[in-house]
């Protein structure tokens, strides 16, 4: 692999392929696979990730917002795209680009029906989202009656699938709660089939659901974080390969004397003769200030170097005393050898947040 010469987010499509096959291996052959590529494919590169996954044969894609779906269509994605959290102002665009909305409330249902009618649509594919305990988005169990009555005698839309989302699929201490969510979903699904008079396909599981509750895979699963190489537990992480590596270089090296300070507000004071390196990335790139002040380290030529002082907008400083390195050398922020989960944990957060926060100004580089 060529060494980085500026800050780059390296995207390993071979790792993506590996993760896809691993997750698929947990499923029955007929279970459909939806790849969640919202938020720039978890901060990586939505277009190139989705094109690769389309080539690998995924059945469905999901994004959060309509704009994200439009970008995928522009990039040549022809598979169905579920929009998890569409806003009514974008319903015209959604229909024009043949994106499939998640319909999660009576208000959204009414407004989508009106838009579908205005566009002269028949059997437009939509997906009903039910709340089974996350209490975030979704119809309630007792909305099924209302939905069935609303759709009775109309054909602008067709309920393609029904789904729900687990609140704690990665937490086995919450097994009872999750089982209850599964049972509630099952009950809702049966009622939907009965009241609608046809059976939309069903989906419930995210990545940790695939790992911990395969019995509830229904007709499709929705995986995001697993595709990008993180499994919310060490055992699963060991089977997956991180897709994104954040790399940078040493811009400048300084030798500082005891008592000298480094960075804004003089947050770091040197206790001895130290050597520091300045790196070209900062909080505007997604490495927040919470990673500063020696809470977190990066890797320089295989050695740990703590981030010292306050993280700046476009720069961070690290301590490289006793590390054999020079200006221009590559520095690894996270990647296969330094997991994003571990990096995120130093600031009390999760892989999802550090990955999705990597700014669009950082260059994405694809490798196989
Ligand atoms: C983001 C999201 C997913 C993906 O979850 P992972 O834990 O990343 O696999 C699945 N379903 C819904 C509704 C989501 O919002």
């Amino acid at each position: 692999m060529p060494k980085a010469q500026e800050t780059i987010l390296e995207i390993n499509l071979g790792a993506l392929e590996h993760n896809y096959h691993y997750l698929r291996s947990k499923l029955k052959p007929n279970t459909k696979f939806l790849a969640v590529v919202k938020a720039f494919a978890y901060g990586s590169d939505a277009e190139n990730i989705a094109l690769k996954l389309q080539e690998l044969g995924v059945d469905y894609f999901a994004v959060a917002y309509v704009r994200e779906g439009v970008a995928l269509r522009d990039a040549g994605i022809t598979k169905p795209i579920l929009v998890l959290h569409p806003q009514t102002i974008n319903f015209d665009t959604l229909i024009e680009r043949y994106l499939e909305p998640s319909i999660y409330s009576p208000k959204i249902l009414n407004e989508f029906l009106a838009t579908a009618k205005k566009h002269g649509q028949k059997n437009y594919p939509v997906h009903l989202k039910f709340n089974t305990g996350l209490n975030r988005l979704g119809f309630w169990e007792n909305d099924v009656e209302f939905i069935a009555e609303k759709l009775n005698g109309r054909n602008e839309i067709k309920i393609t699938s029904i789904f729900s989302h687990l609140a704690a699929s990665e937490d086995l201490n919450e097994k009872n709660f999750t089982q209850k969510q599964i049972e509630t979903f099952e009950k809702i699904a049966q009622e939907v089939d009965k009241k609608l008079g046809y059976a939309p396909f069903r989906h419930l599981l995210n990545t940790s659901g695939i790992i911990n509750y395969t019995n509830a895979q229904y007709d499709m699963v929705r995986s995001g974080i697993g595709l990008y190489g993180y499994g919310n537990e060490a055992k699963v992480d060991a089977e997956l390969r991180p897709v994104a590596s954040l790399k940078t270089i040493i811009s400048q090296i300084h030798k500082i004397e005891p008592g000298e300070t480094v960075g804004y507000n003089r947050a770091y004071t040197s206790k001895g003769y130290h050597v520091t390196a300045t790196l070209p990335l900062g909080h505007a790139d997604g490495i927040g200030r919470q990673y500063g002040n020696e809470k977190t380290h990066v890797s320089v030529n295989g050695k740990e170097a703590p981030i010292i002082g306050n993280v700046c907008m476009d720069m961070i400083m690290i301590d490289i005393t006793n590390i054999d390195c020079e200006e221009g050398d590559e520095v690894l922020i996270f990647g296969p050898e330094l997991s994003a989960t571990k990096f995120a944990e130093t600031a009390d957060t999760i892989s999802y947040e550090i990955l999705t926060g990597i700014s669009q100004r950082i260059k994405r580089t694809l490798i196989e």
Side-chain angles (χ1 to χ4, degrees), residues 297-306 319-324 332 338:
H297 67 263
V298 300
S299 176
V300 182
N301 296 332
K303 295 231 169 66
E304 291 185 3
D319 187 341
I320 53 163
T321 314
N322 302 324
I323 299 179
D324 186 17
L332 179 69
L338 182 55

Side-chain angles (χ1 to χ4, degrees), residues 143-157:
D143 287 324
V144 176
E145 186 78 50
F146 160 82
I147 297 165
E149 273 169 24
K150 189 85 207 168
L151 298 182
N152 190 21
R154 322 182 49 152
N155 65 357
E156 294 95 334
I157 68 170

Side-chain angles (χ1 to χ4, degrees), residues 36 38 42 84 129 136 163-165 205-208 222-226 232 352:
V36 181
K38 61 194 179 194
Y42 288 43
L84 293 165
K129 169 91 178 272
R136 190 173 70 173
F163 71 111
S164 187
H165 195 35
L205 303 181
N206 62 349
T207 299
S208 288
R222 305 184 304 270
S223 178
I225 199 76
N232 297 326
Y352 296 73

